[in-house]
Amino acid sequence: MLELRPACEHCNKALPPSSPEARICSYECTFCASCVERVLGNVCPNCGGGFAPRPIRPSKNLKGDNFLGKDPASTKVKHRPVDPAAHANFAAPLRNIPPEKR
């Protein structure tokens, strides 16, 4: 199950479990939509993959105890700001390749 990390790894913006602004890669690196678009160019600085909106876990028990009350979001912040110049060099050859073909 997803950790639902609480903040953007770059700018440290709060991303609560219900945030539609959260974006994740396949390794669950978590960034806000603004950083994914403006800083990262849809290239994960940790793996080179693309990003997708993070699913929102139900806050109420709608079926089978699959909800935040039983499986709470992580509280561990991973604040690892990206060096824009280093990321630009890393991402340059990847930006024009769709994430599904990287």
Side-chain angles (χ1 to χ4, degrees):
M1 122 190 47
L2 297 175
E3 286 182 46
L4 303 178
R5 295 177 186 166
C8 175
E9 291 181 27
H10 178 67
C11 73
N12 212 27
K13 175 182 180 178
L15 297 170
S18 61
S19 177
E21 298 298 312
R23 302 291 182 267
I24 59 173
C25 75
S26 67
Y27 287 97
E28 207 177 339
C29 301
T30 304
F31 294 88
C32 68
S34 180
C35 285
V36 166
E37 293 167 16
R38 295 184 182 144
V39 178
L40 304 175
N42 197 33
V43 176
C44 179
N46 303 313
C47 71
F51 290 93
R54 181 180 72 191
I56 295 174
R57 186 171 298 151
S59 60
K60 298 177 183 173
N61 184 8
L62 303 174
K63 184 176 181 184
D65 282 339
N66 297 309
F67 73 113
L68 280 170
K70 182 168 183 283
D71 298 309
S74 174
T75 58
K76 185 178 178 185
V77 173
K78 290 190 176 188
H79 186 218
R80 304 180 287 189
V82 175
D83 177 305
H87 183 68
N89 288 334
F90 170 70
L94 301 172
R95 283 201 173 134
N96 294 324
I97 303 169
E100 66 274 13
K101 294 186 178 185
R102 290 185 196 155

